Amino acid sequence: MHHRTSRRTLLTATAATAVAAATGVAVLPGTAQAAAARTSSDSRLKRLIARMSLEEKVGQLFVMRVYGHSATEPDQADIDANLKEIGVRDATELISTYHVGGIIYFAWAHNTRDPHQIADLSNGIQRAGLAGPTPVPLLVSTDQEHGIVCRVGEPATLLPGAMALGAGGSRTDARTAGRIAGAELAALGINQNYAPDADVNVNPANPVIGVRSFGSDPDSVAGMVTAQVKGYQSSGVASTAKHFPGHGDTSTDSHTGLPVISHTREQWAELDAPPFRAAVAAGIDSIMTAHIVVPALDPSEDPATLSHPILTGILREELGYDGVVVTDALGMEGVRTKYGDERVPVLALLAGVDQLLNPPDLKVAWNAVLNAVRSGEISEARIEESILRILRLKTKLGLFRDPYVTHRGVDRTVGIRSHLADADRIAERTTTLLANTGALLPLSRRSHRNLLVVGADPASPSGTTGPPTTTLAGAFTELGYTATALSTGTAPTQAKIAEAVAAAQGKDAVVVGTYNVTATSTQRTLVSALAATGVPVITVAIRNPYDIAQLAGTGYTASLAAYSWTDVELRAAVRVIAGRADPKGRLPVPVQRADAPAQALYPVGYGLSYRS
């Protein structure tokens, strides 16, 4: 007979492990006291697991998307999307039907409209979890890396992304950024963040990582990962290092294909492993898998997400990691290439995964795992190992004590003045000056007051900032310049280039925001045409710092790297151009010559300053 457990009983049964957080009494890791506390906690959690039906156990393994701003009253369009994709109307029905252990937020799923709404959605999700036959709170997660991957936008604090922090080179800043981001997520009821990115970006052509990485040096990346993990987790949010065993040397996007990493076992240990070892040493709460093939680590050429040699043999046994392992999204093509959607979740669990993230068809995936357990392909003991890890994390985060958040807590934490000021200060230390012919910069308002700002206007990562040309022009205007914005796009046409050239007439300088310039990009043509007018041209790479290599010979006068097109980084770049801040950023990756990729145009650590 299946017994219903009251929330009060559940809270009492699991509260012992949160004594340190609740009372301020430290329980030191590795001590007999800590071992005893964990044994006691595990006993209680195992009794909780024993009360679950098999369906509830399977549900705990899944983290799922759901459309809507509310757990119970989403808009009709979101109800329709949920019915079409998941077969449920809303988050509450999702939880009651599938007993999912977690929900992931996306801006495109309309989960993140504004801070109070997000907090209410989180509370609604937790109420649904605690209303189940066996009351269990949920892990609410999102991808809030900052920089170019950001699900929660303004008025929350937006911070520099990983490569910008790598350019700043300050582990203190990286930890501060993690602490601020973690505190704001926690206030919103988001308790698991899929950050930081622990990939070492050694391939300039990497289409999916790039500026999401802290850089190309394994030890530097490891130090920044450690700092961010400590920052996030000090604020009570689970941090997630990704994408194991390392996604930094790919030229294929795992969203659309299956990348293959050709590193030898020795190269992997030297290049890719250090940040993950550092994350484990820092007490990382969760690690996300990569949908990549690494033949040197698993000759079967299964994606790492489905590889027992990689996830159990290396991550669990060699690196000694016993925390939660979560897959990258199971709807990505990289994990679906070799096996069908029914087999992927089963193989992932057999490989050593704990959480199955966002399968394309939850009913198919959920039933596949349920049937695999019933048939004996996966033992019930195996899934209980994963459930125990998940419940340990929920306990550590205090979710059994109190999973709810308040509007007052949101107002006291999210987007507050001190956080915004810290974000600006950190961003100023990341902007990298790569070229400054004739000491044009800092740009004098006396001689170069009248500016034209042109360039790419990619969509805001969070949907709440930009467009970049408008942000740049506005920031210049605030500093006393006269600035006009003209969006020319990532592939400017001849007509748009002609319009920009005409607009440059009579200006004192032109600022061009560039975005992933290639050898055949018409962004090169735009810069050349503007430089030919005789007006000084300042280029600002608003994503990858590699743009400058492709702009060789175009005639620009000065060039900077901002590493992202969010407002905080663009405003910082303007302050640097205007001389309100000294350029302190240093390249965390090498920039190779476009005509001779074996040669470095600018090495790691390069960056100009206004001060000798």
Side-chain angles (χ1 to χ4, degrees), residues 437-452 476 479-483 506-511 534-538 557 577-578:
T437 305
L440 174 67
L441 306 184
L443 200 65
S444 168
R445 279 186 301 166
R446 289 188 297 273
S447 57
H448 296 84
R449 178 183 291 270
N450 195 7
L451 308 178
L452 173 67
F476 277 116
L479 295 181
Y481 297 84
T482 301
K507 301 299 186 198
D508 298 320
V510 181
V511 177
V535 178
V537 173
I538 303 160
T557 304
I577 291 170

Side-chain angles (χ1 to χ4, degrees), residues 456 458 490 513-518 521 523 540-544 547 565:
T490 56
T514 66
Y515 183 94
N516 293 4
V517 182
T518 64
S521 172
Q523 292 180 72
V540 180
I542 63 172
R543 183 169 178 163
N544 290 328
D547 285 3
W565 61 98

Side-chain angles (χ1 to χ4, degrees), residues 88-160:
V88 300
R89 292 174 57 84
D90 54 37
T92 297
E93 192 174 327
L94 168 65
I95 294 163
S96 65
T97 302
Y98 289 102
H99 316 290
V100 293
I103 284 180
I104 179 172
Y105 287 172
F106 293 102
W108 52 258
H110 310 138
N111 304 139
T112 57
R113 287 183 181 175
D114 65 75
H116 285 179
Q117 168 269 315
I118 298 170
D120 291 341
L121 174 60
S122 299
N123 286 341
I125 285 168
Q126 298 298 357
R127 279 192 292 272
L130 294 175
T134 308
V136 181
L138 279 83
L139 286 168
V140 178
S141 60
T142 198
D143 292 282
Q144 191 79 349
E145 298 175 20
H146 289 273
I148 72 167
V149 176
C150 205
R151 311 302 188 207
V152 180
E154 294 179 344
T157 305
L158 298 181
L159 294 135

Side-chain angles (χ1 to χ4, degrees), residues 163-201:
M163 192 169 286
L165 291 171
S170 169
R171 296 181 185 181
T172 299
D173 282 353
R175 183 167 183 166
T176 298
R179 174 183 57 77
I180 291 171
E184 297 200 6
L185 290 175
L188 299 170
I190 299 171
N191 43 55
Q192 185 177 22
N193 189 20
Y194 297 138
D197 193 302
D199 301 311
V200 181
N201 198 74

Side-chain angles (χ1 to χ4, degrees), residues 59 93 174 207 315 337 427 458 473 595:
E93 192 174 327
L315 181 56
T337 298
D595 58 349

Side-chain angles (χ1 to χ4, degrees), residues 201-522:
N201 198 74
V202 295
N203 187 344
N206 195 322
V208 67
I209 304 301
V211 292
R212 297 169 64 192
S213 163
F214 290 105
S216 63
D217 177 74
D219 292 336
S220 296
V221 173
M224 301 301 276
V225 165
T226 297
Q228 286 248 283
V229 169
K230 290 180 177 177
Y232 282 120
Q233 295 186 183
S234 71
S235 292
V237 165
S239 181
T240 308
K242 59 188 184 185
H243 308 78
F244 189 82
H247 210 315
D249 193 11
T250 59
S251 54
T252 300
D253 185 343
S254 51
H255 290 85
T256 56
L258 180 57
V260 178
I261 302 277
S262 60
H263 294 176
T264 65
R265 188 68 160 75
E266 293 72 25
Q267 287 173 323
W268 173 82
E270 182 180 342
L271 182 65
D272 301 291
F276 292 100
R277 291 187 186 277
V280 172
I284 187 79
D285 284 324
S286 48
I287 290 178
M288 179 179 284
T289 67
H291 304 327
I292 59 173
V293 168
V294 190
L297 304 185
D298 182 355
S300 75
E301 299 194 4
D302 280 344
T305 298
L306 311 181
S307 169
H308 189 274
I310 291 175
L311 298 187
T312 297
I314 296 176
L315 181 56
R316 294 286 191 209
E317 296 172 2
E318 183 180 321
L319 271 61
Y321 179 65
D322 191 35
V324 171
V325 174
V326 57
T327 70
D328 205 344
L330 295 182
M332 294 168 59
E333 197 60 35
V335 79
R336 303 172 76 189
T337 298
K338 192 172 180 180
Y339 301 98
D341 290 338
E342 280 193 45
R343 291 302 296 160
V344 165
V346 173
L347 294 173
L349 291 170
L350 290 171
V353 157
D354 301 307
Q355 288 185 305
L356 300 162
L357 177 61
N358 203 24
D361 189 323
L362 178 60
K363 184 177 181 180
V364 166
W366 191 81
N367 280 306
V369 174
L370 193 65
N371 292 334
V373 177
R374 285 174 173 161
S375 71
E377 182 180 8
I378 301 176
S379 70
E380 199 159 348
R382 166 66 194 88
I383 67 168
E384 287 176 356
E385 289 176 14
S386 288
I387 297 166
L388 180 58
R389 292 190 188 101
I390 294 165
L391 295 185
R392 281 176 185 156
L393 180 53
K394 293 180 179 183
T395 302
K396 177 184 175 182
L397 296 173
L399 298 179
F400 284 105
R401 283 186 291 117
D402 184 7
Y404 300 113
V405 293
T406 66
H407 284 193
R408 184 183 180 192
V410 169
D411 294 339
R412 294 171 61 179
T413 308
V414 177
I416 59 175
R417 186 177 301 174
S418 63
H419 287 178
L420 296 172
D422 281 339
D424 281 335
R425 281 194 292 269
I426 292 169
E428 276 185 0
R429 295 191 277 264
T430 68
T431 305
T432 307
L433 179 61
L434 297 174
N436 191 20
T437 305
L440 174 67
L441 306 184
L443 200 65
S444 168
R445 279 186 301 166
R446 289 188 297 273
S447 57
H448 296 84
R449 178 183 291 270
N450 195 7
L451 308 178
L452 173 67
V453 178
V454 304
D457 275 334
S460 166
S462 65
T464 62
T465 64
T469 54
T470 302
T471 298
L472 289 165
F476 277 116
T477 300
E478 288 178 11
L479 295 181
Y481 297 84
T482 301
T484 303
L486 172 63
S487 179
T488 50
T490 56
T493 62
Q494 280 302 123
K496 188 59 72 172
I497 292 170
E499 182 182 354
V501 167
Q505 301 302 319
K507 301 299 186 198
D508 298 320
V510 181
V511 177
V512 184
T514 66
Y515 183 94
N516 293 4
V517 182
T518 64
T520 58
S521 172
T522 53

